[in-house]
Amino acid sequence: MSKNVTYIKRHKKGFIYFHWINAVTFFLLFLTAMPLYTNKFLFLYEAFGAETLQTMHHMLGVIFILNPIVALLITARSGIMTLIREVLHFDKDDVKFLVKFPAELIGKEPEGMPKQGFYNGGERMNILLQALLWLGFVVSGLTLWLGAGHISPAIRTWMIPLHSICAGLGFAAAIGHIYLAIDVNPDSFQGMRDGTVKESYAKHHHAKWVEGLEKEGKLETVERTVK
């Protein structure tokens, strides 16, 4: 049976592109570096050649570095600025959310969950972690790639474990992010497909944000017929 469902506009197209370019680039970077860590991925060297794979890693690294910078310049008044403003605004409701949120990971609905803004406390923590990891990747990656003859060998040696730690933490965070988006809160995944989320989902998970839009008269909705 078909029914009409109300969706709220949440993300701009530019922000969606930024998200997916970042995600795809990260996983390709992770993949092209794997032969350095395990023999199980040596087939990539055999398929592309070690030098070619290294070149691919460097080119992907440039995209990974420039993507958020370009996104910041293009969407400075929308998605990225909203992201920065939300991340820097961490209050007691976010702390309460983080305390209660683990119950959602095992399929339970926590009682007394505080209202959340555009991003909830968990998303804010993840965004902050991703920003720190990006900075770690940039500093360590560029030092290893372009630092020979310009930066002390001792410093460059420390950049190897830093780069590896950032990769490991980034991969773990990405898997957790995918799990939450697909299994725990699948309605959130819609927001990264076309920029909209169900009104019911938004009011349940981001009530402060919805109420703010309603108060300002900026709430944009679309009606869709779904089965």
Side-chain angles (χ1 to χ4, degrees):
M1 176 181 289
S2 299
K3 62 178 180 179
N4 290 330
V5 177
T6 301
Y7 288 79
I8 295 176
K9 292 185 178 180
R10 180 167 170 81
H11 295 297
K12 301 288 186 180
K13 285 186 177 180
F15 185 79
I16 297 173
Y17 295 149
F18 154 70
H19 174 272
W20 287 114
I21 291 173
N22 185 72
V24 172
T25 303
F26 172 79
F27 278 108
L28 288 177
L29 280 166
F30 194 85
L31 184 63
T32 53
M34 284 306 292
L36 295 174
Y37 297 94
T38 172
N39 291 336
K40 292 182 179 180
F41 283 83
L42 286 178
F43 69 90
L44 292 175
Y45 279 165
E46 297 172 359
F48 299 100
E51 186 175 345
T52 300
L53 209 64
Q54 184 180 57
T55 300
M56 291 171 60
H57 192 81
H58 289 162
M59 293 176 64
L60 289 165
V62 172
I63 297 173
F64 186 75
I65 292 171
L66 293 179
N67 184 48
I69 296 173
V70 172
L72 178 61
L73 295 175
I74 293 177
T75 65
R77 293 186 178 181
S78 53
I80 298 299
M81 290 310 296
T82 297
L83 183 152
I84 294 174
R85 184 173 60 251
E86 285 276 327
V87 170
L88 295 179
H89 181 72
F90 201 88
D91 58 25
K92 61 181 181 180
D93 283 340
D94 295 304
V95 176
K96 292 179 181 178
F97 175 89
L98 292 174
V99 171
K100 293 177 177 294
F101 177 69
E104 285 195 9
L105 298 177
I106 56 177
K108 295 183 178 180
E109 184 67 27
E111 294 182 4
M113 186 70 87
K115 293 181 179 180
Q116 294 289 287
F118 190 89
Y119 293 108
N120 61 46
E123 290 170 329
R124 288 190 175 101
M125 294 295 288
N126 179 63
I127 292 167
L128 182 59
L129 172 63
Q130 295 302 325
L132 292 174
L133 290 176
W134 178 85
L135 183 61
F137 276 127
V138 172
V139 172
S140 60
L142 290 180
T143 300
L144 290 170
W145 180 16
L146 305 174
H150 304 285
I151 297 176
S152 166
I155 294 177
R156 295 184 72 240
T157 299
W158 278 104
M159 293 299 104
I160 297 174
L162 174 60
H163 207 67
S164 299
I165 290 171
C166 287
L169 291 175
F171 183 77
I175 296 302
H177 185 65
I178 293 170
Y179 165 68
L180 290 171
I182 294 178
D183 189 70
V184 178
N185 290 315
D187 285 332
S188 67
F189 188 61
Q190 178 73 28
M192 281 303 164
R193 290 204 296 261
D194 65 6
T196 66
V197 293
K198 289 181 180 178
E199 183 181 43
S200 57
Y201 166 83
K203 288 184 175 180
H204 181 66
H205 292 275
H206 305 281
K208 280 186 182 179
W209 168 60
V210 176
E211 291 171 0
L213 290 178
E214 290 175 334
K215 185 177 181 180
E216 297 173 8
K218 296 180 179 179
L219 186 67
E220 297 182 67
T221 61
V222 292
E223 294 287 333
R224 296 197 185 102
T225 300
V226 298
K227 295 182 178 180

